[in-house]
Amino acid sequence: MSLLKVKDGTEIFYKDWGTGQPIVFSHGWPLDADAWDAQMVFLGAQGYRVIAHDRRGHGRSGQSWEGNEMNTYADDLAELFEALDLKDAIMIGHSTGGGEVARYLGRHGTSRVAKAVLIGAVPPLMLKTEANPEGLPIDVFDGIRAGTLGNRSQFFKDLAVPFFGFNREGAKVEQGTIDAFWFMGMLGSIKGELDCIKAFSETDFTEDLQKIDIPTLILHGDDDQIVPIKASALRSAELVKGSTLKIIPGAPHGMCTTLADEVNQALLAFIKG
């Protein structure tokens, strides 16, 4: 196990495989770095150095009471970049991890980063407001909080079904995928996961997106039931200068797992392009 102790003493778990140009992955809620297995093995085999961390309060990282918000998540990632002296990196973030990537780039700049990818990502803002009428109402996120606090184990098993699109007609339900989602979620800190709901739903990433000045791929499924495309990818594509929007028809939120081959090919084409 590799652990980095960041400035407030929290230990951040990470895995660092292979050699070559670094690719840094940021995972979604309530998961951990293992959610990237399909991408890390594939891109590692293509000659890249692949690195993924467990966000604080998730997976095998420390369970801090404070700091479970986007600025600290981005600062933790910046400390990892500095500790490993990463340069010319590709940043890839899924869902909440896409917010983490956006906040890192907005807060720490692009001097160490060559390209970025946002997959099923939460930016620019998930919460419905007067200025963001396409967002989701606060009741949705209050429901996620209630489910996590009330019976987190059952809630995660239930949430995995729409996450991977297993509730769609004709979908092949993969119990092992549901079990893996549940296991990763249960490894995390309930306090960290509860705090992270506010972080991923109420953080406005508009200014972060406007600061991005590197090639950026925005990849989203048009059947994403967790982060609906209209208020996320379609808006982000307008805010990130020169970005590339790729929509995968029928793809669910968890497409990095269910459609790993298609996602991997899209990533490789963008990275090499």
Side-chain angles (χ1 to χ4, degrees), residues 21-26 36 43 49 51 53 73-74 76-78 80-81 86-94 97-106 108-119 212 214-218 267 270-271:
Q21 184 179 12
I23 302 177
V24 181
F25 297 88
S26 291
W36 291 111
L43 291 168
R49 178 183 178 188
I51 300 159
H53 70 297
Y73 297 156
D76 289 346
L77 191 51
L80 183 62
F81 264 79
L86 302 179
K87 297 172 182 173
D88 196 35
I90 313 291
M91 296 186 78
I92 302 178
H94 173 247
E100 183 178 276
V101 168
R103 181 51 51 93
Y104 172 93
L105 295 171
H108 296 280
T110 56
S111 62
R112 291 181 176 270
V113 186
K115 294 182 179 181
V117 184
L118 305 179
I119 305 177
I212 297 175
I214 53 175
T216 302
L217 173 65
I218 298 169
L267 293 175
F270 175 72
I271 291 166

Side-chain angles (χ1 to χ4, degrees), residues 49-104:
R49 178 183 178 188
V50 289
I51 300 159
H53 70 297
D54 291 357
R55 185 175 302 114
R56 67 166 60 215
H58 296 69
R60 295 142 291 196
S61 286
Q63 299 191 0
S64 61
W65 184 261
E66 303 288 349
N68 303 303
E69 36 73 27
M70 280 294 164
N71 286 347
T72 303
Y73 297 156
D75 291 351
D76 289 346
L77 191 51
E79 288 198 55
L80 183 62
F81 264 79
E82 290 164 13
L84 300 179
D85 195 24
L86 302 179
K87 297 172 182 173
D88 196 35
I90 313 291
M91 296 186 78
I92 302 178
H94 173 247
S95 195
T96 299
E100 183 178 276
V101 168
R103 181 51 51 93
Y104 172 93

